[in-house]
Amino acid sequence: MPGEIPYSSGPWKFLAPGWQPAVWCRPTLMTYLIIHVIFMALFSLCYKMAEKKQASRPPVVLFGMAVAATVLSLAGVAASEGFVGDGRLIATGIAGGVFLIVAMHTFFMAMAQGGLAIGWTLVSLAVVIPLVASIWIWNEIPGPWQVAGLVLMVPCILLFGDLHLSIAGRPARWIFLVTLASVATGLCQLTNKIAAILPVALGHGGTGNAVFNYMAWTFGVGGLVALAGCRDVFRNPPRKSEAGIGLLMGALNVIGTWAFLKALEHMPGIVFFPMKAIFGVLLTALLAVANCKEPLTRRQRIGIQVGSCAPI
């Protein structure tokens, strides 16, 4: 069919032999995108909540998040068709779990110095990694209108983000941590892209089975990595603030990741990732403004106007 993207070629063609995306603008697929953006925007506000409630042990918070997310994912596995023993799925889930916890832990460390708004803006630009992979590995060639939207993505994010850097301590340490968090976030999103295609390659397309298995491996491994960083959790049990924020982040992350994977089963990455970045930054910033009772700046209003044109 005209306009289809040739996923049957490229160095990773074994991931989804013969798979072709459906029409990405169907209401169902856009619903998945909207669910993902809303829940991950709420997830990002948990960083600010942790700061306000002085949840001072990020590894403990992350361990709680991983435990909650793993339990919910295993419930999804049990409700579907059970475990999938494919090595590709397991390896992708393990890699995703490591990248996830590295990204979140380094971001928590950076936020101890401040700079939440600009830090989250820079992390949002990590979509460049899966976006380039979608073009290079899966041969998703953008059309003229999509190229225009991709070009508008960067100024939209930068305009709407708070570029006033006010941090404590050494700026070089903050920059290093945020850069590491951004790279790990981009690689985690890339593993999500792979996992979204794997259900079709494994013959489980549409069942949700491989999707929940991937999430269980990702959050389970992530929990083990987080546990390595909070070995005193048994001697010093989590405070209510740490446990509550961790459990909330776990629930939000599961729903957001599930919607992410369902959208990418049929929506090309060159469409999904820019829209995710733009709408995610806009909604996160708007929620932060509403929560802190701060008015939008002139630059942010311009960013909204640019962002409204970018998803073309």
Side-chain angles (χ1 to χ4, degrees), residues 129-153:
I129 294 176
L131 187 59
V132 171
S134 295
I135 296 173
W136 178 63
I137 297 176
W138 289 283
N139 298 325
E140 296 181 2
I141 308 302
W145 289 105
Q146 290 172 328
V147 171
L150 294 176
V151 171
L152 290 173
M153 177 186 70

Side-chain angles (χ1 to χ4, degrees), residues 167-211:
I167 61 173
R170 293 183 299 153
R173 177 182 182 275
W174 185 92
I175 293 172
F176 171 77
L177 290 173
V178 171
T179 300
L180 182 57
S182 300
V183 173
T185 297
L187 292 175
C188 184
Q189 292 176 1
L190 179 58
T191 62
N192 286 350
K193 165 73 173 176
I194 296 172
I197 299 174
L198 274 173
V200 181
L202 297 174
H204 296 284
T207 65
N209 185 12
V211 168

Side-chain angles (χ1 to χ4, degrees), residues 29-50:
L29 299 182
M30 294 305 295
T31 300
Y32 288 136
L33 174 63
I34 293 170
I35 292 174
H36 169 74
V37 168
I38 291 174
F39 278 85
M40 295 315 291
L42 295 173
F43 175 84
S44 69
L45 292 183
C46 290
Y47 286 103
K48 190 68 175 178
M49 187 186 303

Side-chain angles (χ1 to χ4, degrees), residues 38 85 112 152 166 207 215 218 232 247 277 290 300:
I38 291 174
L152 290 173
S166 177
T207 65
M215 292 169 59
T218 295
D232 66 334
L247 295 176
Q300 288 174 325

Side-chain angles (χ1 to χ4, degrees), residues 206-269:
T207 65
N209 185 12
V211 168
F212 282 119
N213 272 266
Y214 165 76
M215 292 169 59
W217 279 104
T218 295
F219 294 121
V221 170
L224 293 177
V225 175
L227 183 61
C230 59
R231 286 169 292 183
D232 66 334
V233 68
F234 299 107
R235 294 192 301 269
N236 300 299
R239 296 190 294 270
K240 288 183 179 180
S241 60
E242 292 174 329
I245 293 173
L247 295 176
L248 177 61
M249 292 178 78
L252 293 173
N253 208 346
V254 164
I255 298 173
T257 302
W258 173 81
F260 184 113
L261 296 169
K262 296 302 292 183
L264 274 178
E265 282 184 0
H266 302 288
M267 185 181 290

